[in-house]
Amino acid sequence: MNRLHLHIRRRDESAVISVAGEIDIASAGQLDNCIRKARSQYSPHLIIDLVEADFMGSAGLQVLAHASTDLESHGGSVVIARPSDQVTRLLKIDGLHHGLAVYRTVELALNRRRPDSSPQPAWRWRDHSSAGHNAPSDATHRRH
């Protein structure tokens, strides 16, 4: 069994939550608590860095969907950075990719909030991949 490790750090005007391990029904509550802590102590704008997440089940998806809805309704945001191929497939299967912006790097996710960056419509599935890299598509949809 792979334990879940979570780390919060502040970057610019966002809180970055680094996730390592497995997000399943047994550990989803830990992620939810970490998101709540990041929101209250760091920033209402969260970047969930999933580069070291080995697995995400439906309970993890529910935590992300709820956090996104809750934070958006209070002027915040949740974006995903560096999901694995497994997590990317799961986001697409669930349809959650229509409601969350997904970035290839944390830096690209941070740039979305900087005033000097080119304006981007909110909550889009972004493709910042190079040719031959299996990453999220560049479709621009929003989940309603």
Side-chain angles (χ1 to χ4, degrees):
M1 182 165 104
N2 194 1
R3 294 177 20 144
L4 182 63
H5 300 279
L6 302 162
H7 176 74
I8 307 168
R9 68 188 185 281
R10 187 171 179 90
R11 292 277 314 269
D12 299 336
E13 298 299 316
S14 297
V16 178
I17 300 174
S18 298
V19 180
E22 298 180 358
I23 308 165
D24 57 19
I25 195 157
S27 62
Q30 289 176 261
L31 178 60
D32 186 53
N33 289 338
C34 186
I35 288 171
R36 291 174 193 274
K37 178 180 178 180
R39 174 188 180 183
S40 67
Q41 295 181 11
Y42 292 83
S43 173
H45 301 287
L46 307 182
I47 298 169
I48 312 295
D49 183 3
L50 296 175
V51 71
E52 294 185 46
D54 301 324
F55 172 82
M56 180 180 294
S58 60
L61 287 177
Q62 287 179 324
V63 168
L64 294 178
H66 180 263
S68 174
T69 301
D70 183 48
L71 283 164
E72 183 180 345
S73 70
H74 292 96
S77 60
V78 174
V79 299
I80 305 299
R82 307 190 300 172
S84 69
D85 289 342
Q86 181 269 335
V87 172
T88 298
R89 281 191 302 278
L90 188 59
L91 290 168
K92 286 181 178 182
I93 289 168
D94 184 71
L96 190 57
H97 69 282
H98 293 298
L100 288 173
V102 177
Y103 293 85
R104 190 170 45 101
T105 69
V106 171
E107 289 303 317
L108 289 169
L110 288 165
N111 284 336
R112 88 196 189 290
R113 297 198 32 82
R114 293 191 179 124
D116 60 337
S117 65
S118 60
Q120 298 285 337
W123 300 98
R124 288 186 156 184
W125 186 252
R126 311 239 194 273
D127 180 11
H128 298 287
S129 62
S130 58
H133 182 269
N134 185 13
S137 69
D138 195 21
T140 54
H141 303 286
R142 177 175 167 92
R143 180 183 232 182
H144 293 282

